[in-house]
Amino acid sequence: MSARPRKAVVIGASAGGVEALSAVLPHLPPDHCPVLVVIHLPSNRQSVLADLFRDKCRMKVVEAEDKAPIDAGTIYFAPPDYHLMVETAFTVALSNEAPVWFSRPSIDVLFETAADAYGPGLTGVILTGANEDGAAGLRAVLAQGGRGLIQSPETAYARLMPETALSFCSGATVRPLEHLAAELLKGAA
Amino acid sequence: MASIKRRLFQARDHFGCRSISMLQDMVLHDETMLGALMSYLTVQVSELFRDPAYFRAIREKVVPHLKTYPSLKVWIAGCSTGEELYSFAILFREEGLEERTLFYATDINQESLRKAEAGVYDLDRMRLFTENHRLSGGKTSLSDYYTAAYGAATFDKSLRRHVVFSDHSLVTDAVFAETQFVSCRNVLIYFNRDLQNRAVALFADSLSRKGFLGLGAKETLRFTEHHDTFDEFAREERLYQKREAA
Ligand SMILES: C[S@@+](CC[C@H](N)C(=O)[O-])C[C@H]1O[C@@H](n2cnc3c(N)ncnc32)[C@H](O)[C@@H]1O
């Protein structure tokens, strides 16, 4: 059993997100703190993301299952059509409740619940997207003493999401896509 | 609990309360508030033949076992507004099991139970339901089971002939019958581990030897105390079978 880590990274992305994540996730070492990811995808219920990233990454990649413990060295993807949440017991929980910003999974829901659980140990990352989801979530992360990281809008496939996050979170760090992984590793243990 | 917290705050805002204790006050002083709050705190999303692969696996893998029983009891736990129940009733009719079956459809939300008993759904949902039914291996046409009028689809009351609807909480109530199949889908995700353990213990008690338990598409027994009580029967479709010795 690995000890329950008190550090974690949450990442939210929408339009262009698969490509942006491909520039970040493969750079994370196998013993990195847990990473939880929400990408908006059409909900045809096919869980392709975990399969897509498994071979590219050095961390273990799974689709989140309800009540699974959150372990270091693991990347958790939200299953399509479910909200992904973090419990204060450092387990994941799934939910079918209403979409937020027309999205389920929603980035705000993941970030807000993760901020409650991890507080200052959390880093929230907002990537490309044509949606306003994530901005309120990132603000919650910062409010609990966590760190905020935003992909610079100029390097984003769709700027709306990083721009909205920026306008909500003046305390967040902005980096071009190619520097995001390095920036993440700076704070990680 | 993360989910309950979110919904409590939503309810607070919806009912115009400044704080949770103000919301609590309202509920304590106004009886009608409890039902209204319940609708905020419990998630009622459902579909007919939701996750068609689940119903296809029941048809193809579980039904042959069920056919060996002279009589059957099936418990739909957390049936919400009834979509799951009607899916079972239709499937069992198609597979020739309906006449020997008694369904228990239970939930804690009274308002939802009333809707389940009425069996009336928006007509514009029938497209999805029809497609789900077809993908589940449906042998008949879904439209055989409802009448459409004024934008609503009303399911045939004959489907309820073998159904008992009842108010039952998986958190506080006890087992009420021996069953051969329990379907409890998208309810356990709203429970923490302790409550999940309690609910699954109820199912294990209720199920007869080698009885079946079906969960929602992203639910698993893996993180409960009872994973040893059951075998994985159809892994992907989240169907479990109670062990012989259990
Ligand atoms: C999302 S619905 C699931 C509907 C259906 N089973 C399906 O999968 O489509 C969840 C249901 O669980 C019910 N529920 C919540 N807590 C419960 C409890 N303690 N005992 C029984 N039902 C409960 C809710 O009222 C709600 O109707």
Side-chain angles (χ1 to χ4, degrees):
Chain A
M1 283 301 292
S2 46
R4 292 290 153 72
R6 298 301 150 104
K7 279 196 162 205
V9 173
V10 287
I11 304 181
S14 190
V18 172
E19 211 188 332
L21 277 170
S22 303
V24 177
L25 296 180
H27 296 289
L28 306 179
D31 59 349
H32 193 270
C33 71
V35 178
L36 300 111
V37 186
V38 163
I39 310 189
H40 300 154
L41 277 186
S43 80
N44 57 5
R45 301 180 179 207
Q46 282 308 306
S47 316
V48 293
L49 287 168
D51 292 336
L52 194 68
F53 280 94
R54 191 161 293 128
D55 294 337
K56 299 183 187 172
C57 291
R58 290 182 286 156
M59 294 176 73
K60 186 178 161 196
V61 178
V62 299
E63 186 179 87
E65 280 191 300
D66 186 53
K67 300 300 170 305
I70 299 174
D71 291 326
T74 309
I75 299 172
Y76 299 84
F77 279 95
D81 232 7
Y82 287 82
H83 288 304
L84 172 61
M85 308 192 203
V86 175
E87 296 283 341
T88 46
F90 303 104
T91 56
V92 300
L94 303 177
S95 159
N96 265 158
E97 63 200 88
V100 175
W101 292 107
F102 310 103
S103 305
R104 191 173 59 208
S106 139
I107 301 166
D108 280 345
V109 171
L110 170 64
F111 280 33
E112 284 166 13
T113 57
D116 272 350
Y118 287 97
L122 187 69
T123 302
V125 186
I126 296 291
L127 302 175
T128 166
N131 184 307
E132 292 174 51
D133 192 15
L138 192 66
R139 187 165 58 187
V141 173
L142 293 173
Q144 302 268 13
R147 193 159 66 115
L149 215 55
I150 301 174
Q151 175 179 4
S152 60
E154 312 77 67
T155 64
Y157 172 86
R159 334 170 37 114
L160 181 63
M161 207 156 87
E163 269 171 1
T164 311
L166 253 171
S167 70
F168 268 58
C169 309
S170 49
T173 308
V174 185
R175 287 286 178 272
L177 181 60
E178 61 273 23
H179 295 161
L180 276 178
E183 187 64 35
L184 254 185
L185 291 173
K186 257 194 221 167
Chain B
M1 293 307 100
S3 151
I4 278 284
K5 182 176 168 193
R6 266 182 53 73
R7 276 171 280 141
L8 258 178
F9 282 120
Q10 275 169 11
R12 176 197 62 188
D13 296 345
H14 175 82
F15 294 111
C17 298
R18 260 172 287 114
S19 62
I20 297 294
S21 55
M22 192 169 153
L23 182 67
Q24 190 178 24
D25 230 47
M26 269 175 88
V27 174
L28 291 174
H29 288 105
D30 177 356
E31 293 210 350
T32 61
M33 267 294 293
L34 191 62
L37 184 62
M38 179 75 101
S39 299
Y40 251 89
L41 297 187
T42 58
V43 177
Q44 301 296 329
V45 192
S46 195
E47 281 170 26
L48 251 84
F49 294 96
R50 178 181 197 169
D51 311 309
Y54 174 75
F55 290 95
R56 179 178 278 275
I58 292 174
R59 234 183 250 285
E60 291 172 356
K61 298 178 182 160
V62 181
V63 163
H65 290 266
L66 299 181
K67 284 196 163 151
T68 65
Y69 292 85
S71 75
L72 290 166
K73 287 182 177 159
V74 175
W75 179 11
I76 316 293
C79 68
S80 189
T81 39
E83 289 88 335
E84 187 181 350
L85 168 76
Y86 289 102
S87 311
F88 270 90
I90 290 167
L91 191 153
F92 272 47
R93 184 175 294 183
E94 287 176 327
E95 302 298 333
L97 287 172
E98 188 190 24
E99 289 305 319
R100 71 181 86 170
T101 303
L102 179 62
F103 292 102
Y104 298 100
T106 65
D107 204 282
I108 47 165
N109 190 322
Q110 313 250 13
E111 175 69 22
S112 293
L113 278 172
R114 270 195 292 277
K115 288 188 186 157
E117 223 167 330
V120 181
Y121 304 102
D122 284 348
L123 198 54
D124 55 22
R125 300 177 73 199
M126 290 304 131
R127 217 182 132 132
L128 171 68
F129 293 179
T130 300
E131 177 66 0
N132 283 353
H133 173 243
R134 191 183 64 75
L135 291 172
S136 81
K139 294 176 172 158
T140 52
S141 164
L142 192 66
S143 59
D144 295 347
Y145 301 97
Y146 65 83
T147 48
Y150 307 109
T154 305
F155 276 80
D156 198 282
K157 63 175 186 298
S158 70
L159 291 168
R160 293 190 290 272
R161 254 191 310 152
H162 299 264
V163 184
V164 177
F165 293 92
S166 161
D167 181 356
H168 180 277
S169 169
L170 298 169
V171 172
T172 52
D173 293 330
V175 171
F176 52 84
E178 178 171 324
T179 57
Q180 284 70 48
F181 194 141
V182 176
S183 186
C184 181
R185 311 193 69 214
N186 306 298
V187 180
L188 296 181
I189 44 175
Y190 303 107
F191 291 3
N192 65 19
R193 283 200 196 184
D194 290 340
L195 296 184
Q196 287 196 350
N197 285 335
R198 186 190 191 273
V200 178
L202 282 189
F203 302 151
D205 277 354
S206 168
L207 283 169
S208 59
R209 206 173 61 90
K210 305 197 85 175
F212 295 91
L213 170 64
L215 303 181
K218 301 296 168 193
E219 293 171 325
T220 169
L221 291 184
R222 191 135 53 92
F223 308 115
T224 69
E225 284 167 356
H226 305 285
H227 63 275
D228 290 339
T229 316
F230 292 88
D231 287 318
E232 285 182 346
F233 182 78
R235 189 168 207 283
E236 276 299 301
E237 293 81 13
R238 314 291 157 141
L239 285 160
Y240 296 83
Q241 186 171 31
K242 190 170 148 185
R243 285 198 179 155
E244 194 94 45

